[in-house]
Amino acid sequence: QVQLVESGGGLVQAGGSLRLSCAASERIFSLNNMGWHRQAPGKQRELVAYMTRGGSRNYVDSVKGRFTISRDNAKNTVYLQMNALKPEDTAVYYCRSWGVTGETWGQGTQVTVSS
C-alpha cells in the first residue's frame, strides 16, 4: 500500500508563500496521477491542482497563476508552491495519488492565511 506524507503547512500572512511537500513511499509517478485537494471548514473538499503521470498540469481557476504543482522523481515527492496567498486559501490540504496502484490520500496539512 502506497503511503503519502504531507508537510510544509503553517500560518502565513496574506500575500505570502508556502511550499507543500508530499512524499510517496514508492516510485509511483509513472503509474499514477498526483493531486492536491483542500477542504475549508464547512465546505466540500475540492481538487486544487493535479499532475498526470505524463506530466500535464491542471489547476482550479481560483489558484491559476498563483499555485504551481511539480514533482521530483528522484525524491518521490510532489510539491505545491503557493504564492500570493489569500485568506480564502485557508484549508487543510491533502495529497492524493490515483491510478494503476489504486487511490491513496495523505493525512493532510493545515494552511492558515491571515488577513
Side-chain angles (χ1 to χ4, degrees), residues 6-115:
E6 301 108 330
S7 61
L11 173 64
V12 64
Q13 288 188 332
S17 299
L18 283 174
R19 188 178 78 159
L20 306 182
S21 300
C22 172
S25 59
E26 302 175 24
R27 293 186 182 277
I28 56 174
F29 295 163
S30 63
L31 302 174
N32 290 5
N33 304 311
M34 300 296 298
W36 286 96
H37 296 246
R38 68 185 179 187
Q39 188 166 21
K43 294 188 177 181
Q44 288 188 331
R45 190 172 298 189
E46 67 169 344
L47 177 60
V48 174
Y50 71 94
M51 178 177 282
T52 67
R53 57 186 186 179
S56 298
R57 308 177 193 192
N58 296 272
Y59 302 92
V60 69
D61 285 346
S62 60
V63 307
K64 283 181 179 177
R66 300 189 297 123
F67 290 11
T68 302
I69 188 170
S70 63
R71 69 189 184 197
D72 185 328
N73 293 335
K75 295 182 178 180
N76 295 335
T77 300
V78 174
Y79 302 98
L80 186 67
Q81 178 66 44
M82 305 185 295
N83 298 328
L85 282 161
K86 305 175 181 180
E88 51 263 45
D89 294 318
T90 295
V92 178
Y93 284 71
Y94 298 90
C95 181
R96 174 183 170 223
S97 167
W98 70 99
V100 173
T101 66
E103 182 183 64
T104 303
W105 290 85
Q107 82 286 356
T109 185
Q110 176 71 46
V111 172
T112 303
V113 184
S114 64
S115 57

